[in-house]
């Protein structure tokens, strides 16, 4: 088969943070697919078809891209950040399991800079020791699973990165998350709210859990919670490399 599919990460927002590998794939693609705001970040050009779709159409998008590749097209599915972190890479492989005839296609995952890592770099080094990432959306898992993972991560003293903390459809869920964290971590734990990192709308806010309120987060925000050793060094926040 002459076609191929690349699943690419566009990074957190700034075009300077798109990797050369992703730029090269986009330069030779015939089709770009993804959530409409992400596709809008790709410049139109002659010979390139742009296929924007709704955010909850991941499996249909993956099928569409694989069909294009099977027809000899050079398709790129774009995600923000890294495609393997709460994004499209897993959706493509779910579809590949359904349609084994597509396993012969050339499929590549092209990594990108995640919002979590871009936010951590802006703050200093809050993820400098063991950490975990948790998607707070309950679209694909129930609240009980989210709460269990939160409590276990906090008890293990991980630094934590939270994606999708608060949306219009879930305005109260993040308040519950903050309550759990205060129970498990105490009020003085450092929390960083990183909104729209690397874009013109970027806003970085660091507070303690006692000061944190749900309205500090939305769907463009990544929330970083330090571990028990995370501290400030001047304007920077970092987590020491060694466990106490």
């Amino acid at each position: 088969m002459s076609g191929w599919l690349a699943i690419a990460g566009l990074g957190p927002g700034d075009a300077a943070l798109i990797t050369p590998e992703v730029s090269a794939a986009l330069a030779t693609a015939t089709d770009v697919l993804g959530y409409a705001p992400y596709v809008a970040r790709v410049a139109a050009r002659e010979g390139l078809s742009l296929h924007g779709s709704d955010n909850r159409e991941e499996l249909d998008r993956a099928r569409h891209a694989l069909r294009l590749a099977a027809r000899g097209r050079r398709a790129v599915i774009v995600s923000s950040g890294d495609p393997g972190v709460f994004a499209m890479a897993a959706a493509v492989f779910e579809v590949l399991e359904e349609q084994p005839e597509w396993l012969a296609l050339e499929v590549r995952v092209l990594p990108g800079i995640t919002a979590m890592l871009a936010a951590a770099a802006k703050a200093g080094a809050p993820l400098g020791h063991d950490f975990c990432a948790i998607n707070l959306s309950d679209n694909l898992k129930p609240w009980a699973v989210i709460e269990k993972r939160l409590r276990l991560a906090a008890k293990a003293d991980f630094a934590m990165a939270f994606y999708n903390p608060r949306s219009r459809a879930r305005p109260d869920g993040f308040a519950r998350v903050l309550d759990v964290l205060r129970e498990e971590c105490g009020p003085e734990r450092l929390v960083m709210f990183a909104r729209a990192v690397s874009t013109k709308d970027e806003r970085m806010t660091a507070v303690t859990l006692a000061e944190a309120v749900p309205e500090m987060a939305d769907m463009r925000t990544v929330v970083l919670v330090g571990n028990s050793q995370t501290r400030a060094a001047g304007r920077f926040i970092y987590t020491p490399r060694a466990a106490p």
Side-chain angles (χ1 to χ4, degrees):
M1 297 181 184
S2 59
W4 49 259
L5 171 61
I7 314 156
L10 296 178
D14 190 336
L17 298 180
I18 299 175
T19 69
E21 182 184 36
V22 169
S23 295
L26 292 171
T28 58
T30 58
D31 299 85
V32 172
L33 307 89
Y35 178 39
Y38 304 154
V39 172
R41 292 173 56 185
V42 178
R45 58 171 169 79
E46 185 177 354
L48 177 65
S49 296
L50 301 176
H51 309 269
S53 54
D54 185 79
N55 200 30
R56 297 194 182 188
E57 297 179 6
E58 291 93 344
L59 296 180
D60 287 341
R61 183 183 305 141
R63 293 184 187 101
H64 185 190
L66 287 162
R67 290 188 189 103
L68 289 170
R71 285 165 30 202
R73 306 282 287 183
R74 300 183 298 276
V76 178
I77 294 179
V78 292
S79 297
S80 66
D82 181 279
V85 179
F86 308 128
M88 280 300 302
V92 169
F93 296 121
E94 286 182 43
V95 172
L96 278 175
E97 280 196 311
E98 298 172 0
Q99 304 284 346
E101 66 270 20
W102 284 335
L103 288 171
L105 288 169
E106 179 185 348
V107 177
R108 295 174 289 149
V109 180
L110 310 183
I113 296 171
T114 71
M116 168 182 67
L117 297 180
K122 288 282 184 177
L127 305 180
H129 194 53
D130 297 339
F131 69 91
C132 65
I134 300 175
N135 186 346
L136 297 180
S137 171
D138 60 2
N139 288 334
L140 297 175
K141 61 179 181 289
W143 163 252
V145 171
I146 296 171
E147 181 178 2
K148 178 180 179 181
R149 291 175 180 174
L150 282 173
R151 291 190 184 278
L152 290 174
K155 289 179 188 299
D157 203 22
F158 284 108
M160 293 169 267
F162 299 143
Y163 282 74
N164 302 317
R166 186 170 181 267
S167 70
R168 283 175 293 182
R170 298 179 288 106
D172 302 322
F174 188 55
R176 298 163 73 185
V177 168
L178 291 175
D179 287 341
V180 169
L181 292 175
R182 291 186 188 105
E183 289 176 22
E184 299 292 347
C185 303
E188 298 306 312
R189 188 68 57 91
L190 286 173
V191 185
M192 290 133 279
F193 293 87
R195 186 179 189 276
V197 175
S198 83
T199 77
K200 62 181 178 60
D201 299 319
E202 177 180 297
R203 185 173 69 246
M204 299 287 296
T205 305
V207 296
T208 65
L209 269 174
E211 299 166 321
V213 296
E215 291 74 20
M216 289 178 173
D218 62 13
M219 288 296 282
R220 298 187 70 191
T221 305
V222 171
V223 182
L224 305 179
V225 180
N227 74 9
S228 62
Q229 303 303 304
T230 302
R231 55 184 180 262
R235 69 182 187 276
F236 301 111
I237 293 174
Y238 83 103
T239 301
R241 294 173 298 156

